Amino acid sequence: MTTSEPQAGTPSPEGDHDLPRSTRTEKNEVPDMTIFTQMESQVRSYSRSWPVVFDRARGSELFDEEGNAYLDFFSGAGALNYGHNNPYLKAALIDYLSDDRVVHSLDMFTTARREFLETFRSHILEPRDLDYKVIFPGPGGANAVEAALKLARKVTGRESVVNFTNAFHGMTLGALSVTGNSMKRGGAGVPLVHATPMPYDDYFAGEYPDFLYFERLLTDMGSGLNEPAAVIVESVQGEGGINAARADWLRGLSKLCKDHGILLILDDIQMGCGRTGGFFSFEEAGITPDIICLSKSISGYGLPMALTLVRPELDIWEPGEHNGTFRGISPAFVTATEAIRRYWADDELEKATLRKGMFVEGRFNAMVAKYPEAGLTAKGRGLARGLQFTEAEQASRVCKEAFSRGLLMETSGPDDEVMKILPALTTTGEELERGLAIIEASVAAVLDPS
């Protein structure tokens, strides 16, 4: 199921691993991107960081039109936890499509939908003693968040939602209202209302007790804080800078919500489906959110799919009160079912992810120690990892250096100050070693160019 990873302390390989891959061409031809610049909006972003035309993908590698290989530590922003074109999921998908099975079904009952729900319940919910109703809100993570916010307000009769500093929950108006990034919020074009930000874990570097401000506002009749319908939180803030909340902090937040009759929404869109080890990122904290948002890797294959999980007593929708055209994409059900059966019938993937994550952490900590004057900070959990730079532009430069050596990764954080990696959970030990060697060479090129 998984390939063993290198052991901590393994020396960095020498030779070609910190250079462009041997399969990369020496051609100086510029790929034809005319149609993209002529036809596409300038809002596109990732294509600016990686100015090549990708054509094929397999496992942890992407290939451009010239056949050059790029090791992918981006994984579709976390949508490809099982790698590109995973052969097990691909076989199930091809079989389904070749047999003329239902592809689009709105919310009609289908065999594919039933098999997914049965497998999700038996392999994910029941082993964790969780009981949720499943909403298929639409194809993307923002749909899952919008459904969660909408239902929380309907259940409680309140309008206000509390979010956290540096949060990211999506690009639709409701999701943007609980997002912290000012650049993304600025694109809304209208006031973003009915949300109040609170400090995320370690926002004040431990100088104040957890929830001092939040709890004071909740209990002070003169605070002006509208009684919240819900609190929405990420266990690990991916786009916000790989900020990992402590288990104690999450437990404290859960208790605070219960004490004040506030619903707890856990946004597990990027960090769920095994990214931090357990299937859900909040498992180590031992909490039970009222509502959970899932998307990205839930389909397992990069196909559009999202879930909003709600405690049964919260499921008070009227029929058709929340709907959408693309709630029944059966190919995504098929690959999701196969991914869960293949990777979550036991705990082997979870244990491998935790081991690989610790290995990455050791190598990142070694870079922190190697460049003390740079003030680097290693961050993250599982296979969501980052290096934070005191000079924000250095993170972007490291990513650019890595791209030139055949590795894809991105930046995150309010100032793009964090170099962020999200390798596929199925990344092999050799691939992980090769990627880390490229990162080390890229960091050296930026911090120690001599």
Side-chain angles (χ1 to χ4, degrees):
M1 185 182 305
T2 55
T3 302
S4 60
E5 64 282 1
Q7 299 300 307
T10 301
S12 299
E14 298 182 4
D16 293 337
H17 283 322
D18 60 347
L19 299 173
R21 296 289 309 283
S22 59
T23 56
R24 295 165 63 77
T25 67
E26 298 301 322
K27 296 179 181 179
N28 293 319
E29 298 176 8
V30 177
D32 184 5
M33 300 182 188
T34 306
I35 190 64
F36 306 120
T37 56
Q38 287 181 345
M39 294 290 295
E40 282 198 63
S41 165
Q42 64 181 0
V43 76
R44 58 189 173 81
S45 59
Y46 295 121
S47 56
R48 299 179 188 276
S49 299
W50 306 319
V52 298
V53 179
F54 293 108
D55 182 51
R56 297 172 56 248
R58 182 176 60 243
S60 291
E61 289 188 311
L62 279 164
F63 301 87
D64 68 16
E65 289 182 314
E66 301 298 325
N68 299 317
Y70 294 82
L71 188 58
D72 186 3
F73 277 16
F74 173 65
S75 299
L80 296 165
N81 281 4
Y82 312 107
H84 293 273
N85 288 307
N86 182 291
Y88 304 112
L89 312 191
K90 180 168 65 175
L93 177 61
I94 290 173
D95 286 347
Y96 186 85
L97 294 175
S98 65
D99 201 28
D100 289 333
R101 307 286 291 281
V102 173
V103 171
H104 179 270
S105 63
L106 294 166
D107 67 356
M108 294 182 289
F109 297 150
T110 63
T111 304
R113 192 185 204 96
R114 179 173 59 200
E115 290 180 352
F116 168 75
L117 288 169
E118 290 174 344
T119 304
F120 188 73
R121 181 174 61 186
S122 64
H123 286 59
I124 303 301
L125 297 183
E126 289 179 345
R128 292 161 180 81
D129 196 26
L130 297 173
D131 183 19
Y132 291 105
K133 288 291 190 75
V134 178
I135 301 167
F136 296 103
N143 300 102
V145 169
E146 294 286 354
L149 298 176
K150 183 175 174 180
L151 183 59
R153 289 171 169 136
K154 178 178 175 65
V155 167
T156 63
R158 308 170 198 159
E159 295 179 350
S160 176
V161 173
V162 167
N163 60 299
F164 289 96
T165 51
N166 293 316
F168 179 79
H169 297 290
M171 300 298 284
T172 50
L173 289 181
L176 269 181
S177 73
V178 291
T179 287
N181 186 287
S182 59
M183 183 273 288
K184 291 180 170 61
R185 290 175 63 88
V190 297
L192 298 171
V193 297
H194 306 309
T196 304
M198 293 291 169
Y200 192 72
D201 189 18
D202 203 36
Y203 187 75
F204 292 111
E207 294 181 8
Y208 300 97
D210 294 342
F211 312 114
L212 174 68
Y213 181 61
F214 189 8
E215 192 158 25
R216 179 65 181 273
L217 291 180
L218 285 172
T219 56
D220 182 359
M221 297 299 291
S223 70
L225 177 67
N226 292 329
E227 189 175 20
V231 168
I232 185 166
V233 68
E234 303 155 275
S235 297
V236 181
Q237 294 181 327
E239 299 303 312
I242 307 293
N243 305 314
R246 293 167 294 126
D248 282 347
W249 188 86
L250 290 170
R251 284 190 286 268
L253 177 62
S254 178
K255 183 178 185 303
L256 185 67
C257 289
K258 285 184 172 66
D259 289 347
H260 292 274
I262 303 168
L263 298 180
L264 178 60
I265 303 171
L266 201 298
D267 180 342
D268 231 3
I269 290 167
Q270 187 169 84
M271 295 300 161
C273 304
R275 174 55 55 185
T276 65
F279 186 85
F280 296 108
S281 68
F282 57 83
E283 289 182 39
E284 73 165 29
I287 63 173
T288 304
D290 298 294
I291 303 175
I292 302 168
C293 301
L294 287 173
S295 186
K296 289 193 182 285
S297 277
I298 187 60
S299 79
Y301 203 75
L303 297 175
M305 183 175 175
L307 309 177
T308 305
L309 310 180
V310 303
R311 289 193 292 109
E313 61 269 28
L314 303 180
D315 184 31
I316 62 170
W317 297 114
E318 296 292 334
E321 191 172 16
H322 187 83
N323 58 21
T325 303
F326 294 101
R327 292 168 293 143
I329 306 176
S330 295
F333 294 155
V334 171
T335 53
T337 300
E338 182 63 25
I340 291 170
R341 289 173 177 168
R342 174 71 52 176
Y343 294 105
W344 296 99
D346 57 36
D347 62 357
E348 289 303 307
L349 180 67
E350 177 178 351
K351 291 190 293 187
T353 298
L354 293 172
R355 288 195 302 268
K356 291 173 184 177
M358 292 301 295
F359 181 72
V360 175
E361 181 177 325
R363 294 285 281 269
F364 277 21
N365 283 338
M367 283 185 274
V368 171
K370 184 175 181 180
Y371 305 102
E373 70 287 347
L376 302 178
T377 303
K379 310 176 76 176
R381 282 175 48 204
L383 280 175
R385 296 286 171 172
L387 268 181
Q388 181 172 307
F389 292 76
T390 55
E391 297 182 30
E393 54 87 23
Q394 291 178 333
S396 296
R397 288 170 56 197
V398 168
C399 290
K400 185 175 181 179
E401 288 284 345
F403 174 72
S404 73
R405 290 166 165 80
L407 176 69
L408 305 181
M409 58 184 183
E410 65 169 338
T411 59
S412 70
D415 297 311
D416 288 322
E417 74 278 15
V418 177
M419 179 213 81
K420 169 187 175 185
I421 64 169
L422 298 171
L425 309 185
T426 52
T427 298
T428 67
E430 182 276 330
E431 289 167 336
L432 193 61
E433 175 64 45
R434 175 156 45 93
L436 290 171
I438 291 174
I439 291 172
E440 289 164 346
S442 301
V443 171
V446 172
L447 298 183
D448 187 19
S450 61

